[in-house]
Amino acid sequence: MQEKQSATATEMAQVETIIGRILQVGVVLSAIVMGVGLVILLATGDSGYAGHTVPLTMAAILVGSWQLKSYAIMMLGMYCLILTPVLRVVVSIYAFYKERDHLYVAITTAVLIILMIALAIGLTGK
């Protein structure tokens, strides 16, 4: 019995390490992407869009990023930053499932559903 508890504790420590790494990598990646957009903005002096227009839809952000438009790249960095905690929630669901903690699996899944609904509302603008 003690071996099983020790194995579970070791596995949970590994999951916590993975969660911490996900948060670190997500923040660093989003900062790098936003930094690239800022460098392009400062180098060209142009946002890539007419007037005060900014890309708001994911399609516009991806197309604008592919075209190296600075505002689109900075928005892509913001989306990476927003999605980082969502990925953390997904990993937490897995960790609670491995622990066989069904209550927390249900609660965390509900949180993920709420985040997805909010993200969908934000993307559609309705």
Side-chain angles (χ1 to χ4, degrees):
M1 182 70 171
Q2 186 133 1
E3 272 184 37
K4 188 175 182 179
Q5 287 177 340
S6 176
T8 303
T10 302
E11 188 174 328
M12 290 315 302
Q14 290 173 341
V15 169
E16 288 177 18
T17 302
I18 290 168
I19 289 172
R21 185 67 61 199
I22 286 170
L23 294 173
Q24 288 174 339
V25 169
V27 168
V28 169
L29 178 68
S30 62
I32 289 170
V33 172
M34 284 187 277
V36 167
L38 182 61
V39 167
I40 291 171
L41 176 66
L42 294 175
T44 63
D46 184 28
S47 70
Y49 296 94
H52 296 289
T53 306
V54 293
L56 297 177
T57 65
M58 186 52 102
I61 290 169
L62 292 175
V63 169
S65 295
W66 183 255
Q67 297 170 345
L68 295 178
K69 295 182 178 182
S70 60
Y71 277 15
I73 294 172
M74 288 189 278
M75 289 295 290
L76 182 63
M78 290 301 296
Y79 272 107
C80 289
L81 187 62
I82 290 168
L83 291 177
T84 298
V86 174
L87 184 56
R88 186 227 189 276
V89 171
V90 170
V91 173
S92 295
I93 292 170
Y94 171 75
F96 292 135
Y97 174 77
K98 290 295 281 184
E99 272 188 14
R100 294 184 175 93
D101 194 342
H102 302 294
L103 176 62
Y104 279 105
V105 168
I107 292 170
T108 311
T109 301
V111 169
L112 180 62
I113 291 168
I114 292 167
L115 285 171
M116 290 290 132
I117 292 169
L119 185 62
I121 290 170
L123 288 174
T124 61
K126 296 179 181 182

